[in-house]
C-alpha cells in the first residue's frame, strides 16, 4: 500500500497528469459520505468489469467524507490492486471531485459513475462499444427518473432546455455526469483551467464526436442524497452564468422595457393633471412603482454580482482542489487488451 500524505497539488494545471495506460478502462466514482452504498456499488461493478475481459481500475474520489467510507475502501484497496482512492483535503464539491478523478485517471477510456447506483453500471459495456465505434464522448441521456418528485422532474426538464438555448456550446438535454470519455477528450478537458467549473458545460465545450444512449435512471441503492434544493439552485446558476452572457442581455432588455413603461405612466399622470385638473394618484401607485423598480434593480445587481464574483474567483488562481492522500496497492494488476472479448 502506498499512501501520500502531503500531495497538495492542483493536478489539473497540466495535461495528462496521470500516465495514461492504453490498455486500461478507468471508472471514476466521486463520493461524499456513502458508506451505506459503496459495498453495493462494488458488488455490482467488480464482477461486471471482470467479466468483460479487459483491464480496469476503479478510482474513488473522496470529497471530504466524515463517515467510514474511506476506511472501508482502504481495507479493500489492500487486497485489490484495481482500486485506487484519491482523498481531497476537504469538501470541494462534486465538480472539483470529478476534475480530480479525471486528472488522476490512467485509462485510455474513462467512465464517470455516481456511487449511489442511480446510473446502472451494467451499461458500461455498451458505452465501451460506442467508443470502439468511433465516439470520443458517450453521453447517457435519462429517459425516465425513478424516485424523483414531479416538481424536480419538471424543473430539470425546463432547466436543461433553457441551458441548451442559452449556451453557444450544445449541451445535450437530460444528460448528467454519467458518461464515457476517450483519453483524447479527457486530455482536452484537463487543458481548461477555470475554477468555476460546470462540468456538463465543459464536456460540451470541448466538442469531440459524441454518441448519446438513452437509459432509465433508478432510485438510490442506499443512503440519502447529499443535494439540497439550494445546492441544485446554485449548480443551475453556475451553469447558466458560466456558459452564456444572455442573462445580462435579458436584464438590459427588461430594464429598458420597464423604463419605457415607467416613463409612459409618469407622462400620462402629468398630462392628466394639466388637462383635467385632477390630482395625480398618490401613495398606492407611487409605492407600487417604487417596489417594482427596486425589485428589478436588485435582481439586476445580483446578476451582475454573479458574473463579477466569477471574475474575482478566477483572478485568485487558487487550486480547484487539494489532494490529502492517494491510497493504492503496490501489487500489479492483471493486464489484458482493452476491448478483447
Amino acid at each position: 500500500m502506498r499512501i501520500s500524505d502531503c500531495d497538495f497539488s492542483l493536478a489539473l494545471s497540466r495535461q495528462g497528469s496521470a500516465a495514461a495506460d492504453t490498455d486500461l478502462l478507468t471508472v471514476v466514482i466521486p463520493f461524499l459520505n456513502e458508506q451505506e452504498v459503496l459495498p453495493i456499488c462494488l458488488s455490482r461493478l467488480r464482477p461486471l468489469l471482470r467479466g468483460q475481459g479487459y483491464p480496469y481500475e476503479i478510482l474513488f474520489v473522496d470529497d471530504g467524507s466524515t463517515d467510514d467510507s474511506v476506511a472501508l475502501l482502504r481495507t479493500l484497496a489492500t487486497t485489490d490492486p484495481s482500486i485506487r482512492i484519491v482523498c481531497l483535503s476537504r469538501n470541494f464539491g462534486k465538480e472539483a471531485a470529478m476534475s480530480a478523478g479525471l486528472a488522476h485517471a490512467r485509462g485510455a477510456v474513462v467512465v464517470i459513475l455516481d456511487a449511489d447506483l442511480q446510473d446502472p453500471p451494467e451499461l458500461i459495456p455498451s458505452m465501451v462499444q460506442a467508443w470502439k465505434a468511433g465516439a470520443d464522448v458517450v453521453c447517457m441521456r435519462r429517459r425516465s427518473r425513478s424516485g424523483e418528485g414531479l416538481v424536480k422532474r419538471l424543473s430539470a426538464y425546463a432547466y436543461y432546455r433553457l441551458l441548451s438555448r442559452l449556451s453557444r456550446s450544445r449541451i445535450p438535454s437530460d444528460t448528467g455526469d454519467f458518461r464515457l470519455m476517450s483519453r483524447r477528450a479527457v486530455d482536452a478537458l484537463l487543458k481548461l483551467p477555470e475554477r468555476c467549473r460546470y462540468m456538463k458545460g465543459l464536456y460540451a465545450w470541448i466538442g469531440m464526436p459524441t454518441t448519446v444512449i438513452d437509459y432509465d435512471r433508478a432510485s438510490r441503492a442506499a443512503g440519502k442524497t447529499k443535494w439540497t434544493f439550494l445546492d441544485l439552485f446554485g449548480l443551475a446558476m453556475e451553469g447558466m452564468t458560466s456558459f452564456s452572457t444572455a442573462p445580462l442581455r435579458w436584464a438590459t432588455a427588461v430594464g429598458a422595457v420597464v423604463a419605457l413603461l415607467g416613463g409612459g405612466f409618469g407622462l400620462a399622470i402629468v398630462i392628466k393633471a394639466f388637462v383635467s385638473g385632477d390630482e395625480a394618484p398618490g401613495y398606492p401607485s407611487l409605492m407600487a412603482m417604487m417596489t417594482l423598480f427596486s425589485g428589478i434593480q436588485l435582481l439586476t445587481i445580483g446578476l451582475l454580482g454573479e458574473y463579477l464574483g466569477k471574475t474575482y474567483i478566477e483572478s485568485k488562481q487558487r487550486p480547484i482542489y487539494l489532494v490529502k492522500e492517494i491510497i493504492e496497492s503496490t501489487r500489479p494488476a492483471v493486464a489484458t487488451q482493452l476491448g478483447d472479448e
Side-chain angles (χ1 to χ4, degrees), residues 4 6 39 107 125 133 145 183 257 278 304:
S4 172
C6 300
R145 305 166 68 101
R183 170 51 54 181
V257 170
D278 292 341
L304 289 171

Side-chain angles (χ1 to χ4, degrees), residues 221-249:
K224 297 181 180 179
T225 180
K226 310 306 182 295
W227 288 94
T228 65
F229 174 78
L230 290 177
D231 292 332
L232 293 173
F233 178 77
L235 186 63
M237 285 296 297
E238 187 73 49
M240 287 190 290
T241 56
S242 292
F243 288 89
S244 176
T245 57
L248 291 175
R249 298 192 186 101

Side-chain angles (χ1 to χ4, degrees), residues 140-156:
M140 306 303 290
R141 182 167 56 198
R142 300 157 182 167
R143 186 166 44 208
S144 64
R145 305 166 68 101
S146 177
E148 296 183 359
L150 178 62
V151 173
K152 186 175 181 180
R153 293 200 303 270
L154 290 177
S155 59

